[in-house]
Amino acid sequence: MLPGALLLMPGFGGGLSYCAHLVRWGRRTEPLGSSDAQLPPNDASALTLIRRCLERKTHPAVTSTADPFAEP
């Protein structure tokens, strides 16, 4: 890919949904900056987090927290 080239990226959903993205490939290879933000520690896998979130969303009476990603 050369800088300035156009990329057409189609996307298709499971039903009748579709989309397309037109992206111009840029020249920048250096990051814009850095951040001192830190993520909280986590021992669970992404799949475990999603399962817990789904459980709380589908069974709201079981938990009382407003944060769907909060630990039970």
Side-chain angles (χ1 to χ4, degrees):
M1 300 293 304
L2 297 175
L6 289 175
L7 292 131
L8 178 59
M9 299 184 289
F12 302 94
L16 297 176
S17 60
Y18 58 92
C19 68
H21 303 278
L22 185 60
V23 178
R24 184 171 304 277
W25 193 257
R27 294 181 188 271
R28 180 175 56 82
T29 59
E30 296 294 321
L32 292 176
S34 61
S35 172
D36 59 354
Q38 294 184 9
L39 295 173
N42 179 32
D43 295 331
S45 69
L47 184 57
T48 301
L49 292 173
I50 296 300
R51 284 182 177 153
R52 289 177 187 165
C53 181
L54 182 60
E55 181 67 26
R56 285 189 291 269
K57 284 179 171 268
T58 56
H59 300 92
V62 175
T63 63
S64 60
T65 181
D67 181 4
F69 293 103
E71 288 296 321

